[in-house]
């Protein structure tokens, strides 16, 4: 049990639970509300809950791992000097905070959840140059135009792929918004890059690497966080250099 603002947070003892089915109970004024760990809109509305839940309690270290891996390869090419980042699935800005620390000159966030944008401005005001609430698969014309003017040379997406959060098509659209050559840094659950993957990410990444679209520089398996039942969740942190766009003819294959 934990007090966060006006809320009392209860985390049930669970012997076994799959990622994506984890939940908490938030109590305020005698009313209890069950909130799934992937109900990000609701989690972002309660200040401090996202950080406590994923980073303090379940020891997520993905922003540090992915950004450190990116920094390592940027440093070899002096790429930190003019890093212009599109942060996809930006959330409340925890990844952008790490990107700023490694020298990013421009940070633009995009997330489909309005509450994420509000949380970013509340928790890390002024961190992003711009923050768009939009769906990358159906971008409004004004957002597409604004993003197209930024000349991004890096895309990041951390703890956002799969689980119906960011689909392969959205990842591909974001990828095509950055310059070639450019940098891509992301993480993905190990289950989504194996032959049994049903999300489409394994097929997309395989196409990008085999076709020379993405030159993978590092692919490190690490513990992303612990599940609610104490099981470690393993992801891959991937950093690569973009060589060219994914053709429109192939992008439609990942809808």
């Amino acid at each position: 049990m934990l007090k966060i603002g006006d809320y009392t947070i209860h985390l049930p003892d669970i012997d076994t639970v799959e990622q994506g089915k984890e939940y908490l109970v938030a109590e305020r004024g005698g009313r209890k509300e069950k909130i799934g760990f992937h109900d990000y809109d609701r989690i972002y509305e309660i200040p401090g809950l996202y950080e406590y839940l994923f980073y303090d309690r379940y020891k997520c270290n993905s922003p540090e791992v992915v950004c450190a891996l990116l920094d390592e390869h940027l440093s070899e090419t002096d790429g930190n000097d003019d890093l212009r980042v599109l942060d996809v699935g930006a959330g409340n800005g925890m990844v952008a905070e790490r990107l700023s620390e490694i020298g990013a000159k421009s940070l633009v966030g995009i997330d489909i959840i309005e509450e994420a944008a509000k949380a970013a401005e509340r928790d890390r005001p002024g961190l992003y140059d711009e923050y768009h609430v939009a769906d990358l698969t159906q971008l409004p014309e004004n957002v597409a135009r604004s993003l197209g003017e930024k000349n991004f040379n890096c895309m990041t997406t951390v703890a956002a792929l799969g689980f119906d959060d960011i689909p392969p098509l959205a990842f591909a659209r974001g990828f095509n918004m950055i310059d070639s050559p450019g940098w891509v840094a992301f993480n993905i659950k190990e289950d989504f890059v194996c032959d049994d993957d049903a999300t489409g990410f394994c097929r997309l990444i395989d196409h990008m690497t085999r076709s020379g679209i993405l030159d993978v520089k590092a692919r490190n398996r690490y513990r992303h966080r612990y599940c609610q039942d104490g099981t470690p969740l393993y992801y891959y942190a991937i950093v690569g250099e973009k060589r060219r766009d994914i053709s429109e003819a192939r992008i439609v294959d990942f809808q």
Side-chain angles (χ1 to χ4, degrees):
M1 187 173 65
L2 174 78
K3 289 288 294 183
I4 297 182
D6 296 335
Y7 289 87
T8 300
I9 306 300
H10 304 272
L11 290 166
D13 292 325
I14 298 176
D15 291 334
T16 180
V17 63
E18 296 178 21
Q19 187 182 9
K21 296 182 179 180
E22 302 159 289
Y23 70 94
L24 60 88
V25 175
E27 181 178 1
R28 183 173 69 168
R31 179 177 175 269
K32 292 184 178 181
E33 175 186 4
K34 182 179 178 180
I35 301 174
F37 279 19
H38 284 231
D39 294 336
Y40 293 120
D41 52 349
R42 191 67 187 97
I43 288 174
Y44 284 133
E45 286 182 326
I46 303 175
L49 180 56
Y50 183 85
E51 283 88 341
Y52 166 75
L53 188 62
F54 294 109
Y55 293 86
D56 297 339
R57 181 64 182 256
Y58 295 112
K59 307 304 179 185
C60 177
N61 63 347
S62 286
E64 290 81 0
V65 169
V66 175
C67 292
L69 193 61
L70 174 63
D71 186 32
E72 176 185 334
H73 288 276
L74 289 173
S75 298
E76 295 174 358
T77 61
D78 296 324
N80 303 65
D81 295 340
D82 188 28
L83 193 62
R84 305 179 302 278
V85 184
L86 175 63
D87 187 19
V88 177
N92 67 346
M94 294 190 73
V95 174
E97 190 170 53
R98 304 302 185 274
L99 291 167
S100 179
E101 291 169 358
I102 68 173
K105 302 301 181 185
S106 173
L107 290 164
V108 174
I110 185 166
D111 203 297
I112 201 168
I113 302 174
E114 176 71 35
E115 291 81 1
K118 292 178 179 178
E121 185 56 32
R122 178 193 67 214
D123 299 339
R124 294 166 180 84
L127 181 60
Y128 288 101
D129 299 304
E130 292 180 9
Y131 196 121
H132 298 280
V133 178
D135 182 346
L136 274 166
T137 68
Q138 304 178 56
L139 279 179
E141 184 177 341
N142 64 317
V143 176
R145 183 170 56 251
S146 176
L147 295 176
E149 293 170 351
K150 296 298 185 295
N151 299 121
F152 298 114
N153 58 13
C154 181
M155 181 184 83
T156 57
T157 179
V158 177
L161 302 182
F163 298 104
D164 297 323
D165 297 330
I166 294 179
L169 178 60
F171 181 88
R173 293 289 186 198
F175 181 88
N176 277 3
M177 287 183 176
I178 67 172
D179 293 342
S180 303
W183 289 94
V184 181
F186 62 99
N187 74 338
I188 187 164
K189 190 176 181 182
E190 61 179 357
D191 296 357
F192 299 158
V193 287
C194 68
D195 292 339
D196 294 333
D197 169 54
T199 67
F201 276 107
C202 181
R203 191 162 52 91
L204 173 60
I205 294 169
D206 184 63
H207 168 67
M208 292 167 69
T209 55
R210 288 180 179 272
S211 303
I213 292 169
L214 178 66
D215 180 11
V216 173
K217 301 296 186 181
R219 178 185 170 115
N220 295 353
R221 183 177 183 265
Y222 72 101
R223 179 186 52 75
H224 164 61
R225 68 170 174 89
Y226 291 101
C227 195
Q228 194 169 13
D229 62 6
T231 304
L233 299 173
Y234 289 98
Y235 277 48
Y236 283 100
I238 299 174
V239 169
E241 187 175 5
K242 176 185 175 179
R243 297 297 178 83
R244 56 186 172 86
D245 283 357
I246 306 168
S247 70
E248 188 62 30
R250 290 310 305 267
I251 277 186
V252 297
D253 292 341
F254 301 103
Q255 295 188 64

